[in-house]
Amino acid sequence: MKLGTKITLLTSLLLIVILLCVDIIVYSLFIKIAGQNAGEMLLSKWEPIIQQVESMNSEARNALLYNSLTEDTLIRISVPGSDSIRMISNGADFNLNGVPVTSSKTRNARLLKHDDERILMVYIPMKTAGGTMTCFEIAERLDDLETNIHILVTILTFTTFGAVMVCMLGGSLLSRTVVKPISTSIRTMKEIERSLTFKKIPYKGKSADELYEMTGTFNRMMDRLEESFWNQQQFVSDASHELNTTLMIIEGYSNILRRWGAYDTKVQEEAVKSIYEETKRMRVMTQQLLNLASSQQGRQFMLDSVDLIQTCKQVITHFRQLSTRKLILHAKEKEMVIQADHSKIKQLLIILLDNALKYSTAPIELHITQQDDNIQLIVKDYGIGIPREEVKHVFERFYRVDSSRHRKTGGTGLGLPIAKSIVEEHQGRIRIKSREGTGTEVIVELPILHPSWNK
Ligand code: ADP
């Protein structure tokens, strides 16, 4: 069953139950109150008459009672403790056969159904001068009440039926309004499933309801999926392009080696050296690609307390074993603990110091300072720098300022994108200040407390 039909049926069913309860209450109250009122009226009419007949002889009494009767009234007179029951009627076309005689010491009125007719009976006990009790039961057929009950039942039936109709109509309109955005969403999702493309659910205006929120969330999710999909596509095509270029170079040198290598030792030496360099570069690149892929998938991220000063010292010692270049650490504090992934912070420092070493010849400076809740880390070199218009591109994958110089330095164009993704994993920021021919500063800001810590 469709959601819209379900909503309509459930609301209508609920309304029918409520209306039926209300109808029953109204009907019962009406009969009770109308019966009570009619009873009081009949009692107040007959009580004075009964008082009058108290002192009369039997003939005068019968005459008065007879004359007070209408066609819809009859009187039953009984004496408690004896079988004497007498009926007086003035042409009434109903009887009290089967209606038990009332015996009570107090006056009362009751409404009863007899022979499919609604009859009101009032009971008036009377003590005669001799001390015997005589009970008068005046029965009146309530034709007016019957008619009024019919009118009431008709009104209640029509209003109930009308209300249910209006509710069904309103329910179907309401369900259409509620279900419409869901149907649109389903259509869009089916379209996405069929065409395997990224589509958004169309929606107008602004609202605070859940459906609006659901549509907004779905569209945002689509945006992110689309962005991530195109990033992956870009990544794969960039990576294939880079690997292909390297393989083409290796192929070219292999060809030279095959054709002239046996005759010319200089050519042979140069080709072997180039093949070796390119192979090495390709190995580094594949490793970096794996690192980048795993960090973008959020894998292998382990938060710990990391002393940044100590980690910098470790990385500097590592570089001192590989090169004679000067690396100077500037830090006021002896230790600076942040919440981070130790191996990733180490990788970040290696990338930045490696670049500084590659693109400069002068000593390299490493500054660490604390600024409120952040740690600022600056890797500064006095090397070739980056042209101003190229700075904004250096965080793009495989972007190299001048590819010819990187063939010499063995650069892959993946160092800074990896550094950026590490910094972003730590909820930090990275930027570059550089002037061509003067030097470069890579500025990293990392929060001391990682936002996801203790979650
Ligand atoms: P690569 O492995 O080629 O160095 P990166 O992503 O680390 O790749 O750097 C991207 C580009 O930024 C490179 O082309 C490089 O020329 C430039 N670059 C990065 N760091 C520096 C620096 N310290 N000085 C000058 N240029 C730099």
Side-chain angles (χ1 to χ4, degrees):
M1 195 189 282
K2 291 206 161 186
L3 187 62
T5 322
K6 259 188 207 169
I7 294 174
T8 313
L9 280 182
L10 279 176
T11 44
S12 307
L13 202 73
L14 187 71
L15 187 82
I16 290 173
V17 172
I18 294 169
L19 286 177
L20 280 181
C21 290
V22 172
D23 288 353
I24 291 169
I25 293 168
V26 169
Y27 178 83
S28 316
L29 280 178
F30 176 80
I31 290 181
K32 196 173 172 212
I33 293 166
Q36 269 173 3
N37 288 343
E40 280 305 318
M41 273 165 68
L42 204 61
L43 276 171
S44 56
K45 177 186 168 188
W46 280 92
E47 258 173 340
I49 300 171
I50 301 297
Q51 271 167 16
Q52 262 185 51
V53 299
E54 232 181 284
S55 52
M56 289 180 181
N57 61 27
S58 129
E59 215 168 290
R61 185 169 77 180
N62 286 348
L64 177 63
L65 290 175
Y66 182 84
N67 289 332
S68 307
L69 285 170
T70 63
E71 270 182 10
D72 289 326
T73 332
L74 58 81
I75 297 177
R76 183 165 68 179
I77 306 166
S78 60
V79 177
S82 84
D83 294 339
S84 145
I85 295 171
R86 209 148 54 80
M87 304 284 294
I88 304 173
S89 95
N90 189 359
D93 58 355
F94 69 100
N95 58 58
L96 293 177
N97 296 347
V99 179
V101 176
T102 318
S103 68
S104 167
K105 286 198 169 105
T106 51
R107 67 199 268 284
N108 62 55
R110 66 193 164 117
L111 196 62
L112 52 96
K113 196 116 187 173
H114 177 63
D115 287 344
D116 282 340
E117 285 179 308
R118 223 171 279 274
I119 292 176
L120 176 68
M121 281 190 71
V122 295
Y123 171 82
I124 305 167
M126 187 198 87
K127 231 180 193 154
T128 55
T132 49
M133 280 287 282
T134 307
C135 301
F136 294 85
E137 284 176 287
I138 300 102
E140 186 175 71
R141 192 170 54 197
L142 293 177
D143 282 341
D144 285 354
L145 182 67
E146 201 66 47
T147 315
N148 289 342
I149 287 171
H150 270 123
I151 293 169
L152 180 74
V153 169
T154 315
I155 291 171
L156 288 178
T157 311
F158 274 104
T159 47
T160 305
F161 186 73
V164 171
M165 284 290 118
V166 171
C167 174
M168 283 180 91
L169 203 78
S172 90
L173 277 177
L174 180 82
S175 65
R176 232 175 277 174
T177 321
V178 173
V179 171
K180 201 178 160 201
I182 300 176
S183 307
T184 318
S185 308
I186 292 170
R187 255 204 317 279
T188 314
M189 286 175 204
K190 278 187 179 161
E191 184 68 24
I192 293 168
E193 188 188 29
R194 195 183 54 74
S195 63
L196 290 178
T197 50
F198 296 97
K199 285 197 158 42
K200 285 197 210 161
I201 301 168
Y203 64 100
K204 287 186 223 126
K206 221 171 158 43
S207 150
D209 66 24
E210 286 83 355
L211 287 168
Y212 182 86
E213 203 179 316
M214 184 192 84
T215 313
T217 311
F218 180 87
N219 287 349
R220 280 196 299 280
M221 186 183 77
M222 272 295 122
D223 275 345
R224 293 201 60 181
L225 281 177
E226 188 171 10
E227 195 189 317
S228 143
F229 176 80
W230 289 118
N231 275 344
Q232 295 286 342
Q233 290 283 94
Q234 189 65 37
F235 185 77
V236 170
S237 82
D238 288 353
S240 340
H241 179 262
E242 282 306 310
L243 290 172
N244 198 33
T245 315
T246 313
L247 285 172
M248 267 167 61
I249 294 167
I250 294 173
E251 191 189 10
Y253 280 115
S254 313
N255 207 19
I256 294 171
L257 207 56
R258 192 169 54 87
R259 290 165 90 184
W260 297 293
Y263 317 107
D264 192 332
T265 45
K266 206 170 161 242
V267 169
Q268 188 192 47
E269 223 172 80
E270 196 194 319
V272 170
K273 190 173 164 253
S274 300
I275 290 172
Y276 172 72
E277 291 293 335
E278 286 302 314
T279 320
K280 210 167 89 182
R281 208 175 76 84
M282 199 158 82
R283 194 178 50 75
V284 174
M285 194 196 303
T286 35
Q287 187 52 50
Q288 285 182 325
L289 279 172
L290 285 173
N291 286 346
L292 196 58
S294 76
S295 74
Q296 279 180 347
Q297 283 167 14
R299 271 194 252 133
Q300 300 166 354
F301 188 70
M302 282 160 65
L303 277 181
D304 210 343
S305 296
V306 177
D307 180 356
L308 206 59
I309 310 248
Q310 193 55 37
T311 314
C312 285
K313 282 180 181 165
Q314 280 172 8
V315 176
I316 289 172
T317 313
H318 162 80
F319 274 104
R320 278 192 189 132
Q321 283 163 5
L322 302 174
S323 123
T324 49
R325 298 274 303 281
K326 247 187 161 183
L327 291 161
I328 309 151
L329 175 65
H330 296 273
K332 278 190 194 142
E333 284 82 1
K334 281 218 160 47
E335 62 164 35
M336 228 173 235
V337 180
I338 64 164
Q339 285 163 359
D341 182 313
H342 185 248
S343 64
K344 298 216 167 189
I345 293 294
K346 227 169 150 179
Q347 194 187 357
L348 170 75
L349 288 166
I350 291 173
I351 291 170
L352 300 184
L353 288 174
D354 183 50
N355 273 354
L357 285 168
K358 272 194 296 192
Y359 305 113
S360 73
T361 46
I364 290 146
E365 293 168 16
L366 221 159
H367 298 263
I368 305 178
T369 46
Q370 185 172 342
Q371 294 181 341
D372 301 326
D373 298 336
N374 291 316
I375 295 275
Q376 194 179 62
L377 184 130
I378 301 173
V379 178
K380 190 170 181 179
D381 68 63
Y382 299 92
I384 56 173
I386 306 168
R388 195 212 283 242
E389 63 283 2
E390 310 252 14
V391 172
K392 58 178 179 292
H393 296 296
V394 291
F395 290 109
E396 290 168 15
R397 274 190 303 254
F398 302 110
Y399 190 86
R400 276 168 269 164
V401 171
D402 171 1
S403 41
S404 64
R405 68 176 174 176
H406 297 293
R407 290 262 167 240
K408 279 183 237 141
T409 54
T412 57
L414 287 172
L416 287 178
I418 293 175
K420 188 177 177 220
S421 98
I422 292 174
V423 172
E424 281 173 356
E425 267 183 300
H426 286 84
Q427 316 276 322
R429 285 189 306 162
I430 183 166
R431 64 201 154 92
I432 286 194
K433 271 197 216 165
S434 185
R435 259 180 96 181
E436 211 177 359
T438 309
T440 305
E441 262 182 51
V442 184
I443 303 150
V444 174
E445 275 164 21
L446 293 170
I448 294 174
L449 297 174
H450 193 279
S452 70
W453 189 261
N454 290 338
K455 261 190 190 169

